[in-house]
Structure formats: structure tokens, C-alpha cells
Amino acid sequence: MKNIKCNLLSILLLMIAISCKKEKQAALILPEANQWILDSMKVYYYWNEQLPKQPEPNNSASLFFQGLRYSADRFSYMEDPAANTTEYSSFAYYGFEYALVQMPAFPGRIFGTVTLVVPNGPAAKKGLKRGDLFSAVNGIEINSSSSNAIKQLLKQGANISLQTLKVVNDQLISGPLFSISYSYFREQPVYLTKIFSNGNKKTGYIFYNNFNDEFDRNILDSIAKFKNKGIKDLILDLRYNPGGAVSSAAKVAAAVVSVNEGEIFLVSQANKNGGRFTDSFGQTIAKGSSLPRTFAEVINSRISIEKLFVLTSSATASSAELLINNLKPYLNVVQIGEKTIGKDMSSFEIYDQRVPKKIMYVLHPLIFKLYNSKLQGDYSAGLVPDYFADEFSTLPLKEFGDKEEILLKKALEVSLGTSPIISSKVASNKVAPILSANTKAVFQSSFARSTTMSPISFGRGKTGLDFKSNKK
């Protein structure tokens, strides 16, 4: 009897072992691409410890990747080179941004308003201007039922027509019809520089729309122009800036604060496999791919200021947010406008490095949390302004650089204390504003573009980190 019990126990234990082995084997059976994705995420993903223990099997690699993302992750994404992407944005195709707004003066209606026009872009060449209102696209009137269709039309790249409106005695009447076609253009990210004065103090202003390192000399030259002009404060307009190169942000920072090459600009925190590393101003600048690439060259453009005012909106993202946060240990930074988008992390491309390559997908998972030299960061909910200002509170929108433009007006009030005397000519909308104190923007193309653009990206070979696993 004792032998029978032992045999039964042995059989039971063997069955349990076999069952566990089968379950373990079953859990590992994934399509090759999905297994590669999972293995890569286990090594590099910031939230690798929150990856699901038993990932939901899915034949779609894209859906499998989405299923791995942590709940707080808004920006990790995966590229499929085989996908045929034709939808981009009104900015990419036509060189303008817009918002859809509701105005109390016209209940039940939705209007479009142009928020930005790229100088020398397709829309600018047709005469479209910031502040222009429009009621229809390709003959389709904008309303709650058609707004999604309107958004689609404006990101497909086909020829479009905008029916604009004029404001006459607080009434809207039909204006010119603008027909715009796609044509290639390059955005030069510095749109405008100006100097304002109250008679005793001067404040500089720059509208800067992208940390594109190909134009680093342009932004540095724009800053350098303020040398010997006697400005005390600088206003940097980043309201629609979606980010870009970290090296460009470091160059702008080094040009407006008195720091040494070796002082810390950036602290990057990875998961346990990667750890933490710091980059000085000099190191961050040197990692850029465009000239100038040395700290010594950059500080030739340096100016001395007391305060930096940064104008922001819900579309301000990535390197633009990094600049604000990482300058704070060194300079009095005053943020005016709206809360930013909250891209406080960075990534690098993960791709199959085997020869021959077996997996075509390219991963862009969030890998690093970014901090300043005082380890301040964690602004995934957005950077909150010191002074709140809503540019849509009164329409039509004023041109950038107009002293009456809502965000700039507030910055000048804080900086100069009184109404400024403009030291150079400024273009201004001539029409009287609609008296609509509670105008509400229900959609902003600039926010949509900043959301879909890549998070801050480091070159994989430039991170200075050695993750503790075989690289995928």
C-alpha cells in the first residue's frame, strides 16, 4: 500500500511538472516579430517592470505593441515601413495651422481660425494670414456634424479652398475664397525678432517654432542681434513649438545664461538596465549633428538678460518644454500662456540589427525620464504657466509680435510694467475684434501635430548608456 501511495504521489508530481512546463512553453509561443518586440521592451522600456506577465497574443504586431504600453504612456509608438501613410497635417501640406472655435456671439456655430502661417509656405504665398476666420472648406460648412470631415480634408494633401470671413461691426460677412495646393517648402523656424521699450527698459522678442538643428545658426544669430541693444529681458515665443533636437535646446540655453561648459544641462534616468547619466552643456551641444558643435562657438552669441519669458500653449512640447525646465536652475524663467503638453521623456530607435534583417518594424518606446541639474522634472501633466493667458479669448487673433496679442501683451506688462513703445514696425490685424470673451477652441491642429510627433530622440550611439542585456 505504501508503494502504491508513493507511486501515485510520483505520478501526480510528474503530471504537475509536465503541466507547468507546457504552460511555460505555451506562454513563450509568439510570432517572431511579437517576440522581438517583447524582448526589446523588456530591455529598454522605461516601464519594463510594468509589462504584462502574459501579453495578449495578437497576430497584429501593431496591436501587440499597443497592448504592451503602460497606462501612463501617451507617446511610445512603432513604425511599420510597409505602411503607406498619406495623411499628415495642414502644416505639412499647406504651411498653416488652425483651430476650430465656438463663439458666444454666434451660438451653435463652429468657425475655423488660422493660428499660424509659415513664411513663404504655400498658404502664405496665397495671402492667408494668422487671424483669418473661415467658415467652410471645399464648400463644406463647418459645424458639429462636419468637423471631423473638415479635419480629414485638411491633412490629405489635396487641393483645398477656404471660405474666409470678414468682421464688420461685430458681424461676419463673406470674405475672399483662398485656393491652396501642396508645394514643397522648408520652414525657417525663426519667424520674427523685435525689441519693445517703455522708454527706460528694453525687452527682446523672438518667435521660434521648431528646434531644427539645421537652423541652429539662425536662432543663435537672432539672439546675438540683441547684443549691445540694451535689452534686459527676452521673450521667447514657443506656443506652437513641437520640440526637436536636444542639442538645439542646449545651444539656446547656453546663449542666454552665464554657465560654464561643464555645468549640468540634462539628467536622463532609464530603467534598472540603463541607470542614470548626466550631460553638461558642452556634451549636449557636441552630440548635435549640425554646426556649431562646440560650446565655445555657441557662447559667441551669448547675451546677458535678467529674465526669460516663455510663451506657451497646449501644443508646446518636447525640447521646448525641456528648455523651460532645464533653464530654471540658472535663470529666472517666467512662463505665460497655457499648460504645455507634457512630453518629459525621450527615446531612441530600436530596430533589428541582425544581418540579414528579419524584423522590419522600428520601435520608439519611451526610455528616459528627463530632469534638470537639480533633478526637477516629472511634468508629464504639462508645465503650468506662472501667468495664464488664453489667446482665443478675443478674436480675430493678432499677428505674432503685435503688442496687443494676448500672450505677448501679458509678457510685456510683466516685463516693462507699462504699455510698450515699439522700436520697430509691426504688422497688425486692422479689423475690430469680435466681443466674445468666452470663445472656446474645440480643436487645435498644432496640438494634434505636437501629440503625434516623435518624443525627444537621442541617437542610439550617443546616449552614453550600456543597457544590461543583449541589444536588439
Side-chain angles (χ1 to χ4, degrees):
M1 179 62 101
K2 186 176 180 181
N3 289 336
I4 292 173
K5 287 183 178 178
C6 289
N7 289 337
L8 288 173
L9 180 60
S10 298
I11 292 170
L12 180 60
L13 291 172
L14 180 61
M15 290 175 67
I16 291 172
I18 292 171
S19 175
C20 290
K21 185 176 181 181
K22 285 183 177 180
E23 287 180 7
K24 186 176 180 180
Q25 288 174 340
L28 295 175
I29 299 175
L30 290 170
E32 184 179 16
N34 291 2
Q35 188 63 59
W36 176 82
I37 292 169
L38 179 60
D39 291 343
S40 299
M41 295 286 276
K42 286 180 178 178
V43 175
Y44 298 108
Y45 192 42
Y46 182 79
W47 292 286
N48 63 345
E49 293 183 354
Q50 278 71 45
L51 288 169
K53 302 299 181 184
Q54 292 291 330
E56 189 70 29
N58 199 310
N59 290 329
S60 166
S62 177
L63 292 177
F64 180 77
F65 176 79
Q66 293 298 323
L68 297 179
R69 296 199 325 178
Y70 182 54
S71 58
D73 182 359
R74 293 185 289 157
F75 303 116
S76 291
Y77 70 100
M78 184 180 80
E79 286 183 82
D80 182 357
N84 183 24
T85 303
T86 58
E87 292 186 353
Y88 292 99
S89 66
S90 61
F91 179 93
Y93 282 123
Y94 314 113
F96 77 92
E97 301 276 24
Y98 69 97
L100 299 181
V101 298
Q102 295 174 328
M103 294 183 280
F106 302 91
R109 297 189 64 181
I110 296 177
F111 301 94
T113 181
V114 177
T115 56
L116 175 145
V117 179
V118 180
N120 298 314
K125 289 178 179 178
K126 291 291 184 177
L128 199 68
K129 292 181 172 60
R130 171 176 159 87
D132 283 345
L133 296 166
F134 58 96
S135 60
V137 179
N138 291 1
I140 302 173
E141 184 175 303
I142 307 170
N143 54 47
S144 57
S145 300
S146 67
S147 60
N148 286 334
I150 296 294
K151 295 173 198 175
Q152 288 297 115
L153 283 173
L154 291 173
K155 62 182 183 180
Q156 290 178 349
N159 295 346
I160 59 167
S161 61
L162 301 182
Q163 178 58 61
T164 60
L165 299 167
K166 290 183 177 180
V167 184
V168 179
N169 297 325
D170 287 348
Q171 296 297 314
L172 294 175
I173 63 173
S174 293
L177 182 70
F178 286 87
S179 297
I180 307 171
S181 302
Y182 164 73
S183 62
Y184 175 78
F185 68 95
R186 294 192 73 194
E187 181 195 30
Q188 195 275 81
V190 176
Y191 287 26
L192 178 70
T193 62
K194 298 191 71 63
I195 296 177
F196 298 88
S197 172
N198 63 4
N200 298 311
K201 179 182 178 182
K202 294 180 181 179
T203 298
Y205 170 83
I206 301 176
F207 184 91
Y208 182 51
N209 202 47
N210 196 322
F211 287 85
N212 182 342
D213 59 358
E214 293 182 37
F215 294 95
D216 282 349
R217 285 201 183 279
N218 183 260
I219 180 61
L220 292 174
D221 288 347
S222 297
I223 293 171
K225 286 178 183 178
F226 293 123
K227 277 188 175 184
N228 305 318
K229 298 294 184 181
I231 70 165
K232 297 296 184 182
D233 297 337
L234 176 64
I235 301 169
L236 190 58
D237 198 334
L238 304 179
R239 74 183 75 190
Y240 304 136
N241 193 311
V246 176
S247 58
S248 299
K251 291 173 188 179
V252 172
V256 298
V257 293
S258 181
V259 292
N260 298 320
E261 182 174 2
E263 291 187 78
I264 294 173
F265 176 67
L266 174 65
V267 178
S268 300
Q269 178 66 56
N271 61 30
K272 290 180 180 178
N273 294 328
R276 176 186 294 177
F277 76 103
T278 61
D279 275 322
S280 67
F281 280 84
Q283 289 169 327
T284 310
I285 289 169
K287 289 180 180 180
S289 57
S290 297
L291 298 174
R293 295 186 63 186
T294 68
F295 181 83
E297 290 176 281
V298 169
I299 61 174
N300 287 331
S301 301
R302 178 177 287 171
I303 59 174
S304 176
I305 57 174
E306 295 173 358
K307 290 181 182 178
L308 176 69
F309 292 84
V310 184
L311 308 186
T312 64
S313 76
S314 60
T316 306
S318 198
S319 290
E321 295 174 288
L322 180 77
L323 178 68
I324 297 169
N325 185 65
N326 289 28
L327 270 178
K328 287 181 178 179
Y330 303 104
L331 183 66
N332 188 349
V333 179
V334 181
Q335 183 183 340
I336 294 175
E338 294 181 289
K339 186 170 68 172
T340 63
I341 202 168
K343 283 190 175 182
D344 64 342
M345 299 187 68
S346 66
S347 178
F348 56 69
E349 290 185 347
I350 298 173
Y351 53 89
D352 187 358
Q353 300 185 60
R354 294 172 292 189
V355 179
K357 183 182 293 187
K358 295 182 179 181
I359 308 299
M360 298 298 115
Y361 301 114
V362 180
L363 307 182
H364 297 263
L366 295 180
I367 296 174
F368 308 106
K369 271 278 190 182
L370 304 177
Y371 299 91
N372 63 27
S373 62
K374 293 186 176 180
L375 297 182
Q376 297 165 331
D378 292 313
Y379 47 88
S380 60
L383 293 169
V384 178
D386 299 288
Y387 298 90
F388 177 81
D390 180 5
E391 67 175 334
F392 297 105
S393 59
T394 302
L395 296 180
L397 297 172
K398 298 292 186 182
E399 293 275 13
F400 301 128
D402 189 316
K403 66 176 183 176
E404 295 300 320
E405 191 280 315
I406 300 294
L407 272 62
L408 176 56
K409 182 178 181 180
K410 185 63 182 178
L412 291 172
E413 286 177 358
V414 179
S415 175
L416 299 177
T418 60
S419 297
I421 301 167
I422 305 170
S423 63
S424 57
K425 291 182 180 180
V426 56
S428 175
N429 292 349
K430 299 301 182 183
V431 296
I434 300 170
L435 300 177
S436 52
N438 295 310
T439 299
K440 179 183 179 182
V442 294
F443 172 80
Q444 297 182 56
S445 67
S446 55
F447 172 78
R449 188 167 73 99
S450 291
T451 300
T452 56
M453 285 186 68
S454 301
I456 292 172
S457 182
F458 293 118
R460 190 169 175 179
K462 299 178 181 180
T463 62
L465 282 177
D466 183 17
F467 279 75
K468 298 174 183 177
S469 183
N470 293 326
K471 291 182 173 61
K472 299 295 177 184

